[in-house]
Amino acid sequence: MSWNLNNHGLPFLPGYTFRDVTKSSFTRPQTLAFKNGFRVPHRPTVGIGHDPLVSEQLTQQELSELCCEMPGMTYGSYHQTACEDFIPAYVAFDKKVLCYHAYFVEDILYSPEEQDRMRPVVIYYYLEDDSMSIFEPTVQNSGLMQGKRIKRQRFPKNEHGEHFQWKDLNLGMDLEVYGVKYHITHCDAFTKEFMESEGIILNDPEPMPVDPYSKCCNIPVPQYTTPSTFSNMYEFSTMDGKVLCFSALWDDTDSQYDETRRVTITYYLVDNTVEIREVDQPNSGRIPFLMRRKKIPKTLKPVPFPSCVMEISEKEVDEYYSPKDFQLGQTIKILGRCFLLCDCDRFTKEYYQKNHPDMEMTPTEVPKKADKLQEKKDDLLPSMFSIFTGDSYYNGFGSLEDSFQNCLSLIPKPPKMNYLKMLENHGKVLQYSAKLDSQYPQDEARRFILRYYLSNDTISIYEKNTRNSGIIGGKFLKMTRIPKPGSTVENPEFYSPADFAIGATVEVFGHRFVLTDADRYVLTYLESISSQIPSHTLDSLRQKLGVGLSDSQPIKPDTQHTVEKQRDDQLQTRQCCDVDKSFSHSNKNILRFMVNSRLILS
């Protein structure tokens, strides 16, 4: 490098240096030469154009400083450590997974057996890409959708776009993922070692809670019972041919023919089997064999409902009949049939005296057939007497008159109706306003119309439509005779117009109605039969309708008569429609015939 003088103090940079215009030689010094036939390089002593070199103008001290100067202040240390090889995360953490065990609580709705359910899960954290997945172990015959709950992905941590890292996981914490809280209980050995190597202290592990419903449904392990080595050969050799014989009566009165049969019950001691045969009677037309020889179960083991057993085996039987169950004078039930033990043979008595001395084998008398017939006749006399005296019992179908017709003939006829009363009171209806006496506040605004039909003493109830009440109005009760509370089914007492006072309570099949108002026609009709109506009923109607209490506002007779006539015509027209609907076609013909005949006679 040549030395160029710069008297202006400018930096030695391109554009800031100036050449010597008087310089005309730009030759480079010769540095290559031959010595003894070899090429030998020489160090140049001058620069280009014979300019002096900078190295030639430096002193030896400056040269040594330049050679020994350490460039650490500007570019760092000269002796740098060797760079390690770069290993990516998917290679360094390949197949390295953190495993946590957790559970979540699932609410169970509309189940009387459980309120919530504990469901265990396994949380996997993949270190290579910070992704996670949740897996639920499958349980056989659980009926639940188990397996992979959330596929492998990065779980969001908050609303700012952050995700869960391995530093955020610890034992005993709640991990909320997509609205479900997973409580972490413990982890495996690799996870614990990794977290401790990174300087994170894990909490104490917690036990996994047990699902209460699964705990009560655990089926106990079946226990194997070693079969007994007892041999029946000794019992066969000692009891062979020994039989207990009983005479009994089979009470078959519930059957179609209503009779009692004599049978013989044989008990075989060799294998504890029972055989039943009927005593053969000439010209009976029956097979004497009733039940073949077999063991009769006395009590069965309790089995869960429902159970269906076609043939009862020894596994379902808790106890069989034994000789101590056969006591003379008592009734024994075998396969649903009742047998009265009356007598036994001599060997049977000796057997019980020897083996069961506490049991008394005293024979009982067998009732004769004629005595039983007399008892049946005595039982039938009261029922026959009640039929002829008219004391019939209500069977639940139709009315009481319909049940009485069954006692008069085998083919019952419709009960007779009072047609004269129907003609005289045709179209006459007493109409009342009522409200429901109920404990529920929503029934306070309900209003009803109670109608009493004088032709057949029936009552119908209609409910008025009320807007925005949520209750559909219309027919509440069809035309029915309503008995008073406290009356019996055999001797009922029905409601009459004398019972319908303003403010009175009418109980209709469990519903209580309070009468609040009535038509003017009701007062007019009841005053016409005032001898049959209590005074308090008439006073309540007069007080409600304002009749006979105030004379300050007299009503003109013509106006009053016109208004009442129009009101009665409208009421009778509406009532006649209801009456016509209630009568059958045959009743209409009878009414039409009786009206025509009455007009002819008049």
Side-chain angles (χ1 to χ4, degrees):
M1 179 177 179
S2 61
W3 175 263
N4 293 323
L5 297 177
N6 190 356
N7 299 326
H8 301 283
L10 297 176
F12 188 67
L13 295 175
Y16 291 90
T17 58
F18 301 95
R19 296 183 301 173
D20 188 5
V21 293
T22 60
K23 187 177 180 179
S24 60
S25 177
F26 297 96
T27 59
R28 291 185 64 182
Q30 184 66 28
T31 58
L32 299 177
F34 286 91
K35 185 177 181 179
N36 298 327
F38 297 96
R39 297 184 180 91
V40 178
H42 294 281
R43 183 176 181 181
T45 57
V46 293
I48 297 174
H50 299 280
D51 291 336
L53 296 175
V54 177
S55 59
E56 294 296 336
Q57 297 179 3
L58 295 177
T59 62
Q60 187 64 30
Q61 183 179 358
E62 292 178 349
L63 291 175
S64 60
E65 289 179 358
L66 291 175
C67 294
C68 300
E69 185 180 3
M70 301 298 294
M73 296 299 295
T74 305
Y75 305 102
S77 176
Y78 176 76
H79 301 283
Q80 297 181 359
T81 58
C83 297
E84 298 181 357
D85 296 337
F86 173 74
I87 301 177
Y90 65 86
V91 176
F93 299 106
D94 184 28
K95 298 180 181 180
K96 292 184 179 180
V97 182
L98 305 181
C99 180
Y100 294 92
H101 295 269
Y103 70 92
F104 70 97
V105 180
E106 179 184 13
D107 295 335
I108 305 299
L109 303 178
Y110 314 113
S111 176
E113 298 179 355
E114 53 179 343
Q115 297 180 354
D116 48 25
R117 184 179 298 152
M118 304 291 179
R119 300 179 63 174
V121 296
V122 181
I123 302 176
Y124 296 102
Y125 186 93
Y126 301 89
L127 295 172
E128 55 180 336
D129 56 354
D130 296 330
S131 61
M132 302 173 68
S133 66
I134 299 178
F135 179 82
E136 182 179 4
T138 57
V139 179
Q140 188 177 6
N141 298 328
S142 64
L144 302 175
M145 296 294 292
Q146 297 176 334
K148 184 181 292 185
R149 288 188 56 85
I150 303 178
K151 66 179 182 180
R152 181 176 175 179
Q153 57 184 292
R154 300 186 69 184
F155 291 166
K157 182 178 180 181
N158 48 36
E159 299 177 355
H160 305 291
E162 299 180 359
H163 298 84
F164 280 103
Q165 302 291 334
W166 56 270
K167 299 178 181 179
D168 302 327
L169 303 179
N170 204 332
L171 302 183
M173 65 169 290
D174 292 334
L175 179 66
E176 186 173 356
V177 180
Y178 300 126
V180 180
K181 289 186 178 181
Y182 299 91
H183 186 76
I184 302 176
T185 57
H186 59 282
C187 61
D188 58 355
F190 172 76
T191 304
K192 183 178 181 180
E193 182 180 355
F194 176 80
M195 298 295 282
E196 291 178 353
S197 63
E198 296 295 333
I200 297 178
I201 300 176
L202 295 177
N203 300 328
D204 296 334
E206 300 177 2
M208 182 69 69
V210 181
D211 186 16
Y213 180 74
S214 302
K215 185 178 180 180
C216 68
C217 293
N218 289 334
I219 301 176
V221 179
Q223 299 179 357
Y224 178 75
T225 303
T226 305
S228 176
T229 58
F230 175 75
S231 177
N232 295 328
M233 293 301 296
Y234 175 77
E235 187 176 5
F236 175 77
S237 61
T238 56
M239 294 296 179
D240 185 25
K242 295 182 180 182
V243 179
L244 304 179
C245 186
F246 300 90
S247 297
L249 288 178
W250 175 22
D251 187 7
D252 197 18
T253 55
D254 296 336
S255 64
Q256 179 181 0
Y257 300 102
D258 190 12
E259 57 184 353
T260 302
R261 305 182 189 179
R262 291 178 176 270
V263 296
T264 302
I265 301 177
T266 306
Y267 188 93
Y268 297 88
L269 297 173
V270 65
D271 54 356
N272 299 326
T273 55
V274 180
E275 182 184 38
I276 302 177
R277 288 179 177 270
E278 185 178 359
V279 177
D280 190 11
Q281 298 180 1
N283 300 326
S284 63
R286 298 190 183 94
I287 300 176
F289 187 76
L290 285 182
M291 189 186 72
R292 64 179 179 87
R293 178 180 174 181
K294 62 179 180 179
K295 300 179 71 173
I296 306 300
K298 182 179 179 181
T299 56
L300 300 177
K301 295 180 180 179
V303 293
F305 180 84
S307 64
C308 180
V309 180
M310 300 299 294
E311 294 183 2
I312 299 177
S313 62
E314 295 183 356
K315 296 181 179 179
E316 287 83 16
V317 179
D318 192 12
E319 183 182 0
Y320 287 97
Y321 274 104
S322 60
K324 62 182 180 180
D325 299 321
F326 293 84
Q327 174 71 41
L328 293 183
Q330 295 184 0
T331 302
I332 184 172
K333 194 171 184 179
I334 299 176
L335 299 181
R337 294 173 175 83
C338 297
F339 297 92
L340 176 62
L341 302 179
C342 300
D343 201 356
C344 61
D345 59 356
R346 185 177 62 182
F347 172 76
T348 305
K349 294 180 181 179
E350 294 176 356
Y351 174 81
Y352 277 94
Q353 290 176 1
K354 181 179 179 180
N355 297 279
H356 303 282
D358 54 337
M359 297 178 63
E360 296 182 2
M361 304 302 290
T362 304
T364 59
E365 295 183 0
V366 180
K368 296 181 180 180
K369 189 173 184 180
D371 298 339
K372 288 205 167 188
L373 291 175
Q374 186 64 30
E375 291 178 1
K376 292 182 181 178
K377 290 181 180 180
D378 297 340
D379 295 340
L380 290 175
L381 283 177
S383 60
M384 295 174 64
F385 179 76
S386 64
I387 291 175
F388 289 111
T389 56
D391 187 12
S392 60
Y393 294 94
Y394 182 57
N395 58 4
F397 296 96
S399 61
L400 184 62
E401 291 79 4
D402 296 332
S403 300
F404 180 69
Q405 295 296 323
N406 297 332
C407 303
L408 298 179
S409 61
L410 294 177
I411 302 176
K413 299 179 182 180
K416 294 183 180 180
M417 303 177 65
N418 191 354
Y419 293 105
L420 183 60
K421 180 180 179 181
M422 294 173 59
L423 288 173
E424 292 179 351
N425 298 315
H426 176 65
K428 295 183 179 180
V429 181
L430 305 182
Q431 185 167 293
Y432 300 86
S433 297
K435 64 179 182 180
L436 188 62
D437 185 9
S438 176
Q439 60 180 350
Y440 301 104
Q442 59 268 22
D443 294 336
E444 294 180 356
R446 300 176 66 180
R447 294 297 179 265
F448 299 85
I449 299 176
L450 188 145
R451 295 174 181 174
Y452 186 91
Y453 298 87
L454 298 174
S455 59
N456 53 2
D457 298 331
T458 58
I459 297 175
S460 67
I461 300 176
Y462 293 84
E463 183 175 1
K464 295 182 179 180
N465 289 321
T466 305
R467 297 184 61 183
N468 300 327
S469 64
I471 300 175
I472 301 175
K475 183 184 291 186
F476 186 84
L477 178 69
K478 65 179 183 179
M479 297 173 60
T480 309
R481 297 182 68 186
I482 301 175
K484 293 182 180 180
S487 60
T488 60
V489 179
E490 289 78 10
N491 298 316
E493 184 180 356
F494 298 98
Y495 278 105
S496 63
D499 303 319
F500 296 151
I502 300 300
T505 301
V506 181
E507 186 171 349
V508 181
F509 303 120
H511 298 273
R512 297 170 59 88
F513 294 90
V514 179
L515 302 180
T516 59
D517 199 355
D519 286 348
R520 187 64 174 267
Y521 175 74
V522 177
L523 179 59
T524 304
Y525 175 77
L526 295 183
E527 286 180 346
S528 63
I529 56 171
S530 58
S531 60
Q532 304 175 10
I533 306 300
S535 59
H536 68 88
T537 302
L538 295 174
D539 295 341
S540 64
L541 289 171
R542 293 192 185 101
Q543 182 180 3
K544 184 65 180 179
L545 298 176
V547 177
L549 300 178
S550 176
D551 298 334
S552 60
Q553 296 179 355
I555 301 175
K556 295 182 180 181
D558 298 338
T559 306
Q560 180 180 0
H561 178 72
T562 304
V563 172
E564 290 180 358
K565 185 177 180 180
Q566 293 178 357
R567 192 173 185 179
D568 294 342
D569 292 341
Q570 295 177 0
L571 181 61
Q572 290 182 3
T573 302
R574 186 168 60 254
Q575 293 166 349
C576 288
C577 296
D578 297 338
V579 173
D580 291 341
K581 292 180 182 179
S582 63
F583 293 139
S584 62
H585 181 67
S586 60
N587 294 336
K588 291 181 181 179
N589 294 335
I590 295 172
L591 290 173
R592 190 180 296 111
F593 172 75
M594 297 186 71
V595 171
N596 294 334
S597 61
R598 190 174 182 181
L599 292 175
I600 293 171
L601 293 175
S602 62

